[in-house]
Amino acid sequence: MRHDGQPASGTVELTVTWLRVHGRLFASGWRRGATYRAAALGGLVANATFGLLKASILTAAVRAAGGELGGYDQAAILAYAWLTQALLGSVNLFGRSDLADRMKDGSIAIDLLRPVDVQTASTAQEVGRALFSLLPRGVPLVVLGALFGGLRLPTDPAQLALGVISVVLAVVLSSLLVYLVAASGFWTVETRGLQVFYMIVSGFLAGLFVPVTLFPDWLLTLAWSTPFPPLLQVPVDVLSGRVTGTAALALVGLQVGWLAVIYAIGALMTRAGRRRLEVQGG
Amino acid sequence: MRTTTTAPAVQVSQLTRTFRVRSGVLGRREVTAVDDLTLTIEAGESVGYIGANGAGKSTTIKMLAGILVPTSGTVRTCGLEPVAQRKALARRMGVVFGQRSQLWWDLPLAESYRILAAVHGLSAAREQERTAELVERLELGAFLATPVRQLSLGQRMRGEVAAALLHSPALLVLDEPTIGLDVLSKQRLREFLLAERAAHGTTLLLTTHDMGDVSRLCERVLLVDHGRLAYDGSLAGLSREVGARRVLVVDLAAPTPDLVEVPHAEHLGSEGGGLRQRLAFDDAATTAAAVLAAVSERVQVRDLSVEEPDVEDVVRRVYQSRGR
Amino acid sequence: MADVAAAWRPYRAVLASRVRSQASYRGGFVLDLASSLLVGLVELAEVWVLYRAISDPGGIGGLDLAAAVLVFGLADLSFSIADMLVGHVDTLPRYLRSGTLDVFYLRPQPLLAQLVTSEISVRRITRIAVGAVALGIGLVINDIAWTPLHVLFLALVVLTSTATFAGVFVAAAGVQFFLVDASEMTNAIVYGGRYAASQPASVWSKPLVALFGFAVPIAFTAYLPTVALLGLRGSAWLPGWVGWLAPLAAVWTWAVALLAWRTGIRHYQGGGG
């Protein structure tokens, strides 16, 4: 991690400073999330409508398949239908970010002058905003799903805790992935193409529309070789308790692995992009 | 073109418009934007509609154009009922909104005129003739092929005026037409509007913050405050009532005692030991040139500027002079 | 005829210039074409993935993969055409903020007609192509007892389903006069409706039947006409023969849409907008 301009005065102090700065950035993202109340309500209505539609078609599909489809029974597929919608306001599958706008209008040059790493700083803000959305969108959808949609969450506290960890990991991973989309702006002015591509592909391969376990083998292999199933399929399966025990731990481990890989790629891109801007003089 | 026996351009009677606005968390309160307004503007007049921000000018214009429905009272624009007869009215009225564009942002300026000619159903011959006239008199030729978003503010505003006049409306309403324009652009636009009126007898109604617009363009001034008509008459009359004075600021070659004896001018103050002096004068009584000539007789002038009276200032003084 | 040409001239002038303008941003335009093609293909792939996984010959909700492709084709073709022609109206708050709607008042055409013809999204053409191809495949791989009535019905349904979706867009715009901040709320109906259209309505829960079967008659755009064409049974609430009434859904939707639009415009002129 970079600490440009910070006096090197011991690892502990650096860590404390890092945590304080990123804590503040996280909090500012959280507060920004709180300002979009009307949009959150609209999003909730849209998610609930889609939740009803998905629950109908997917339970019918499970019925038609004889009670079990791709490893999902009725209860599991209901949980899948509602939880994917509940996470949609928080897991960034659209590819858009504030940073992409700052890249485009050139304010990134100012960000690079600050003594905070651009990647971790913007990720902290995005994660703050995204986790806030769990309150107006995620939690109400889980409640709606439980009241009207037959959604049941596991009662085992260990499994629930692991599920919550998996959700947070998915949110952070999506923010880091979206950072990659924005960071491509170091090399090209127009990042909209990549953003649109991310939006289309990430949703499909993350299991937004149908669980990836229904994919034919070749598509399933392709999906699992990308970081997208850990964005939605994994947290939904862990939180709903469809996958338990060591298998669940393995899935969370996979999320952590992807997190490290995507973070490292982002860090490399940031360093190369910074150098490129310095060479070109911004 | 038009006969003198046409209906009044604007006829407004006891016009009132209230809005309900949110106040606090749950409360709502009524705000009266236009309050019992009665006035008539005859065809061919040139009228300045002035008032402070939020005085109800834009609300009045929206009611004249049929965009807003009056809360009570009646409106006739060009003899028509604006809401019920909007389409017929659109053929007789042109509006330039200072803050919103009727041009197509991403297209060359000329393309907007082609579309607007189709929108207003102009014949090919009429379209060509009118476009050519406006392009020439508003000096649009140099940037007709430029996309509107690349035009300067002054160029765009001239383009907007041409767009509003393309269908030769009998009534042209301009909402803050010179806001943000530099001195030269303002001057050009005012000259054009005078010429357009002379050539076609177009009725002009303009809202403005700029007393310069009023003094150059308007024979009649309507002053509104808090939705009410506070003054209706000539600019000279308004000046008499409140002294809508302009201020000549002169920078002199050497420190000079206060210039207190210039005819028709009042010395307001000096700076830098008399190097810069400010003289107020009344447009009704004299001209900037006469005051300057009188100053030049006495001392050597290095630089000068003229400050226009501020509408807010005029409004304030109307109330002062009436003891309110 | 001359009158008709004169009446169309304003709209034609605007639309022609919109098309030219979009095509002139070549790079962005190609990207838009490619992305809407990809979106269409991915959505078709979803249908394929789901129905392929079912071995039961009864399929899901009475539709097998072949029938599902036909439903998808009808739904996607008609929605995409409507989206290209009138999809921009559900961004009404943008028109209100920029004052474009006020400018429409200064022109001698109906406001709604001006709004509808103020833009056209040429980029949706690739999405339309996906829908058309899916519909073509669906018509070939299904066993349809073709009669002239079937042909006429199919042609009529493409038109009326397009009209239904267009009506939904207009109704959403009318509602947005009141809900300037929450256009995502109408998205639930517009885009939820698009998703619902490609589904067998026979699997819907009661609230969904009420919402997308009757209030916003999305079931009549693709599922019910397919049921009629294939001679299937349908469901208790929406039996097979109802499919033949599909064109009436367009009439109902437009009645609601015009009412919503008029109410919205009244509200705007009343100063609440």
Side-chain angles (χ1 to χ4, degrees):
Chain A
M1 265 152 257
R2 304 181 67 106
H3 300 282
D4 313 37
Q6 294 281 343
S9 52
T11 325
V12 176
E13 274 173 56
L14 278 181
T15 311
V16 169
T17 311
W18 189 92
L19 283 175
R20 206 175 57 222
V21 169
H22 287 77
R24 288 215 182 130
L25 290 167
F26 175 87
S28 83
W30 177 277
R31 280 193 301 272
R32 279 199 51 206
T35 56
Y36 297 108
R37 264 167 230 195
L41 179 63
L44 176 63
V45 173
N47 290 147
T49 311
F50 273 91
L52 279 174
L53 284 165
K54 279 189 190 298
S56 283
I57 183 79
L58 290 174
T59 50
V62 170
R63 238 186 346 266
E68 198 271 349
L69 178 65
Y72 286 80
D73 58 15
Q74 287 291 352
I77 205 77
L78 273 175
Y80 167 86
W82 286 100
L83 291 179
T84 48
Q85 292 299 315
L87 294 184
L88 208 47
S90 301
V91 174
N92 189 334
L93 295 175
F94 296 98
R96 283 192 282 266
S97 60
D98 284 346
L99 189 71
D101 298 333
R102 296 182 69 78
M103 282 274 181
K104 198 158 183 188
D105 66 22
S107 8
I108 183 69
I110 301 164
D111 298 357
L112 285 170
L113 289 177
R114 297 208 175 104
V116 196
D117 180 68
V118 173
Q119 184 192 15
T120 54
S122 71
T123 305
Q125 281 179 301
E126 291 288 328
V127 169
R129 186 203 56 75
L131 287 182
F132 178 84
S133 318
L134 286 176
L135 298 183
R137 287 176 71 172
V139 173
L141 272 161
V142 170
V143 172
L144 280 177
L147 289 179
F148 305 106
L151 164 68
R152 293 288 170 271
L153 288 183
T155 47
D156 173 15
Q159 180 79 33
L160 266 179
L162 192 63
V164 171
I165 290 169
S166 180
V167 167
V168 173
L169 286 172
V171 168
V172 178
L173 178 59
S174 78
S175 299
L176 285 169
L177 276 165
V178 167
Y179 177 81
L180 299 191
V181 175
S184 69
F186 281 122
W187 290 272
T188 161
V189 183
E190 190 53 86
T191 58
R192 198 171 57 96
L194 192 63
Q195 180 250 312
V196 169
F197 184 75
Y198 175 89
M199 180 175 73
I200 298 166
V201 171
S202 70
F204 184 55
L205 296 181
L208 174 59
F209 308 103
V210 286
V212 295
T213 55
L214 300 192
F215 287 0
D217 289 341
W218 62 271
L219 196 56
L220 188 64
T221 313
L222 175 76
W224 279 112
S225 59
T226 70
F228 299 122
L231 294 183
L232 217 50
Q233 180 83 34
V234 167
V236 165
D237 279 351
V238 175
L239 186 58
S240 70
R242 189 184 79 88
V243 180
T244 53
T246 41
L249 281 172
L251 284 179
V252 173
L254 179 73
Q255 287 182 300
V256 174
W258 271 115
L259 206 86
V261 171
I262 301 301
Y263 169 74
I265 296 174
L268 287 174
M269 282 176 79
T270 312
R271 202 173 303 167
R274 176 190 284 271
R275 206 172 303 133
R276 187 183 148 86
L277 281 193
E278 280 162 4
V279 169
Q280 293 190 340
Chain B
M1 299 212 48
R2 281 177 299 274
T3 59
T4 48
T5 56
T6 45
V10 173
Q11 205 168 12
V12 157
S13 174
Q14 295 178 310
L15 184 66
T16 299
R17 173 72 230 195
T18 59
F19 291 102
R20 289 171 64 178
V21 295
R22 243 174 256 281
S23 108
V25 183
L26 286 171
R28 279 166 167 270
R29 80 199 149 85
E30 296 249 308
V31 171
T32 305
V34 174
D35 192 357
D36 197 29
L37 196 66
T38 299
L39 59 94
T40 302
I41 297 172
E42 296 298 340
E45 274 196 279
S46 168
V47 177
Y49 193 49
I50 64 174
N53 264 339
K57 292 172 295 177
S58 293
T59 304
T60 311
I61 288 185
K62 283 186 170 186
M63 287 192 282
L64 293 181
I67 299 173
L68 274 178
V69 180
T71 306
S72 64
T74 58
V75 189
R76 290 283 178 282
T77 312
C78 301
L80 300 168
E81 212 273 282
V83 174
Q85 296 173 287
R86 181 184 65 78
K87 287 174 231 169
L89 178 58
R91 298 181 192 283
R92 300 194 205 175
M93 182 186 192
V95 182
V96 177
F97 291 115
Q99 308 295 325
R100 40 202 63 176
S101 178
Q102 36 193 330
L103 304 169
W104 279 262
W105 215 235
D106 50 348
L107 298 178
L109 186 58
E111 180 99 8
S112 284
Y113 299 140
R114 275 195 286 277
I115 299 173
L116 284 170
V119 162
H120 286 288
L122 302 189
S123 70
R126 183 79 194 115
E127 173 185 348
Q128 209 176 10
E129 181 194 351
R130 185 63 173 162
T131 311
E133 181 192 0
L134 290 168
V135 165
E136 191 205 321
R137 300 220 326 260
L138 278 162
E139 297 165 68
L140 308 174
F143 47 87
L144 266 182
T146 310
V148 171
R149 70 185 131 80
Q150 293 171 16
L151 299 181
S152 73
L153 185 61
Q155 290 170 334
R156 188 174 74 81
M157 192 47 73
R158 269 142 67 200
E160 295 281 357
V161 171
L165 284 170
L166 196 72
H167 62 296
S168 309
L171 168 65
L172 177 65
V173 178
L174 302 121
D175 190 12
E176 300 286 358
T178 59
I179 203 162
L181 296 191
D182 61 75
V183 180
L184 189 66
S185 300
K186 275 185 192 176
Q187 189 52 31
R188 276 182 172 180
L189 191 56
R190 288 168 184 162
E191 278 166 15
F192 165 79
L193 290 171
L194 286 172
E196 167 70 20
R197 187 164 166 251
H200 301 293
T202 311
T203 311
L204 290 183
L205 172 62
L206 56 125
T207 75
T208 184
H209 258 75
D210 188 330
M211 287 305 284
D213 287 347
V214 180
S215 62
R216 306 298 190 292
L217 289 172
C218 303
E219 299 156 343
R220 181 178 166 198
V221 182
L222 301 170
L223 193 152
V224 279
D225 188 65
H226 294 96
R228 285 174 172 274
L229 194 58
Y231 175 83
D232 179 356
S234 67
L235 180 63
L238 185 63
S239 301
R240 268 197 302 281
E241 185 156 358
V242 300
R245 297 182 305 181
R246 298 160 77 201
V247 175
L248 177 70
V249 184
V250 285
D251 287 356
L252 307 176
T256 309
D258 292 351
L259 296 162
V260 289
E261 291 146 35
V262 180
H264 305 298
E266 183 196 345
H267 181 262
L268 290 182
S270 296
E271 291 166 40
L275 269 175
R276 167 172 289 184
Q277 306 212 4
R278 297 160 55 81
L279 300 167
F281 63 96
D282 194 330
D283 258 343
T286 183
T287 64
V291 176
L292 181 62
V295 172
S296 300
E297 275 172 22
R298 291 162 174 79
V299 287
Q300 191 187 344
V301 177
R302 289 168 56 109
D303 197 2
L304 66 105
S305 62
V306 179
E307 291 175 356
E308 300 290 345
D310 177 15
V311 167
E312 269 81 3
D313 188 40
V314 173
V315 174
R316 198 163 31 82
R317 281 190 285 166
V318 165
Y319 290 125
Q320 281 171 0
S321 72
R322 292 179 186 180
R324 279 169 58 170
Chain C
M1 280 314 284
D3 282 356
V4 175
W8 268 102
R9 184 176 159 217
Y11 309 115
R12 226 183 37 226
V14 177
L15 287 174
S17 79
R18 296 321 305 155
V19 172
R20 277 200 297 279
S21 162
Q22 286 169 35
S24 67
Y25 292 108
R26 193 135 304 157
F29 187 57
V30 170
L31 172 68
D32 286 336
L33 285 177
S35 64
S36 68
L37 176 69
L38 196 56
V39 171
L41 290 177
V42 165
E43 291 190 346
L44 182 56
E46 287 153 20
V47 171
W48 172 71
V49 165
L50 187 61
Y51 283 82
R52 192 203 60 97
I54 309 294
S55 49
D56 185 342
I60 305 174
L63 297 185
D64 58 7
L65 178 58
V69 169
L70 182 55
V71 173
F72 176 87
L74 262 180
D76 215 40
L77 176 66
S78 48
F79 181 87
S80 307
I81 297 174
D83 195 12
M84 175 173 84
L85 298 177
V86 295
H88 54 275
V89 307
D90 88 335
T91 56
L92 187 83
R94 200 164 48 85
Y95 284 79
L96 299 181
R97 271 194 301 275
S98 64
T100 310
L101 193 73
D102 288 352
V103 170
F104 289 165
Y105 274 88
L106 308 175
R107 298 181 187 152
Q109 282 87 30
L111 297 170
L112 180 57
Q114 287 190 62
L115 178 66
V116 166
T117 57
S118 67
E119 190 55 274
I120 180 168
S121 308
V122 186
R123 62 178 189 275
R124 310 255 186 246
I125 203 106
T126 45
R127 185 74 188 275
I128 294 174
V130 173
V133 168
L135 177 60
I137 294 173
L139 292 174
V140 171
I141 60 176
N142 281 288
D143 196 12
I144 301 172
W146 286 109
T147 65
L149 182 68
H150 284 82
V151 177
L152 188 71
F153 177 68
L154 179 68
L156 187 64
V157 161
V158 172
L159 283 179
T160 55
S161 297
T162 303
T164 299
F165 283 119
V168 172
F169 276 114
V170 169
V175 172
Q176 286 178 8
F177 279 107
F178 299 89
L179 289 176
V180 175
D181 289 331
S183 56
E184 280 200 54
M185 207 99 84
T186 56
N187 283 356
I189 301 298
V190 175
Y191 297 96
R194 192 196 60 71
Y195 178 66
S198 59
Q199 289 193 350
S202 49
V203 306
W204 289 347
S205 52
K206 288 229 171 62
L208 285 176
V209 172
L211 178 62
F212 289 126
F214 296 102
V216 187
I218 293 298
F220 288 78
T221 57
Y223 168 71
L224 286 170
T226 301
V227 164
L229 278 174
L230 300 181
L232 303 176
R233 268 188 306 117
S235 65
W237 280 96
L238 299 163
W241 59 266
V242 173
W244 296 99
L245 305 177
L248 292 180
V251 177
W252 161 247
T253 312
W254 269 93
V256 173
L258 291 177
L259 183 71
W261 176 258
R262 281 182 72 95
T263 314
I265 278 287
R266 288 257 164 80
H267 177 69
Y268 184 68
Q269 287 172 337

